[in-house]
Amino acid sequence: MTLLPNLPQNTALLDLLREQGVPQEHGAYVYEGWESHTHPDLVVRLEDLAPHWPVLATFGMPVLAGKGIAAVVAWGTGVLLVRLPEAPSELLELAAPCPPLTDPGQGWYSVCPWQGKLPSAESKGLLSLLVRHALSYAASLSEDDSIDWQGRPVQVPSALSGKSKGRRPAKEKGRRGRRR
C-alpha cells in the first residue's frame, strides 16, 4: 500500500518503486509493511530537513510530496532524489544517478544528503532550502486547486451579501444603544 497518490505526475516514480517493492510484515528492515530500501539514518535526515512534513511510506521508501505530487525521495544510504525545474546549485555535492528518473529531461536530480564538503549547519540549511524548493515545485505541477501545497483543503470564504468583508456581525447583548 502507498500513501502517495496515483497521479500522472507520480507514474514514473511509482512504477520504479513498485518494481523494487517487496511486501514484508516482520523483520529488521521493514518500513510500513514493505522491505525498506532506505537506511534508517537517511529517513531521520529527511525528517530533519523537512520538520513537521508528512513522510509518505511508498513501497518501502520515504517520500515527501507537495499537493500529492512526489518531490523528494530518500533512497538507499546516500541519495536524496529531488524533483526540480533545474539542476541543483553547484554548491551541492551530487549523488549517484538513479535511472530512469535522473535521465536528462525527467526533472529528478540525485543529491548527497550528507554534503561532507560543507560545514554541518551550512549543509543542512542548503539541503532544507532545496527540499522546500522541490516541495513547492512539485505542488506547482498539480492541477488541483482545492488543496494547498501541503495537501490541506483550501478554505474559500463565503460570499458576503452587501456587507464589507472581514467584519463580524455585532452581537446584540451588551452593546450600547441596544433597544429595550
Side-chain angles (χ1 to χ4, degrees):
M1 181 167 124
T2 178
L3 295 175
L4 185 64
N6 190 16
L7 298 171
Q9 300 91 327
N10 293 333
T11 300
L13 176 65
L14 287 172
D15 288 349
L16 184 62
L17 298 183
R18 189 178 297 115
E19 183 180 293
Q20 296 184 2
V22 177
Q24 189 171 340
E25 293 297 319
H26 305 288
Y29 304 105
V30 175
Y31 185 67
E32 301 293 328
W34 293 86
E35 179 183 336
S36 178
H37 293 284
T38 305
H39 192 279
D41 290 345
L42 185 50
V43 176
V44 171
R45 179 67 166 174
L46 181 64
E47 292 168 347
D48 286 346
L49 294 174
H52 311 294
W53 200 271
V55 177
L56 308 176
T58 307
F59 300 110
M61 304 285 271
V63 177
L64 299 179
K67 277 189 148 181
I69 297 174
V72 182
V73 181
W75 194 298
T77 58
V79 175
L80 280 181
L81 288 174
V82 291
R83 176 180 264 165
L84 298 168
E86 72 285 326
S89 165
E90 292 178 7
L91 294 174
L92 293 172
E93 180 183 342
L94 300 180
C98 182
L101 291 178
T102 56
D103 289 348
Q106 298 304 307
W108 287 95
Y109 300 89
S110 294
V111 177
C112 178
W114 310 110
Q115 298 297 315
K117 296 178 182 177
L118 294 172
S120 180
E122 185 179 351
S123 166
K124 185 176 179 185
L126 285 173
L127 288 171
S128 292
L129 184 62
L130 183 74
V131 165
R132 284 194 306 273
H133 182 50
L135 286 164
S136 178
Y137 175 65
S140 77
L141 299 175
S142 174
E143 297 171 3
D144 187 353
D145 291 332
S146 68
I147 56 175
D148 69 10
W149 70 292
Q150 294 178 319
R152 297 182 297 223
V154 172
Q155 301 295 320
V156 179
S158 60
L160 298 174
S161 57
K163 296 184 181 181
S164 65
K165 294 181 180 180
R167 292 187 57 182
R168 298 171 87 179
K171 292 183 180 178
E172 290 299 317
K173 273 187 168 179
R175 303 268 312 186
R176 286 191 220 184
R178 75 173 193 212
R179 291 186 173 171
R180 294 182 192 232

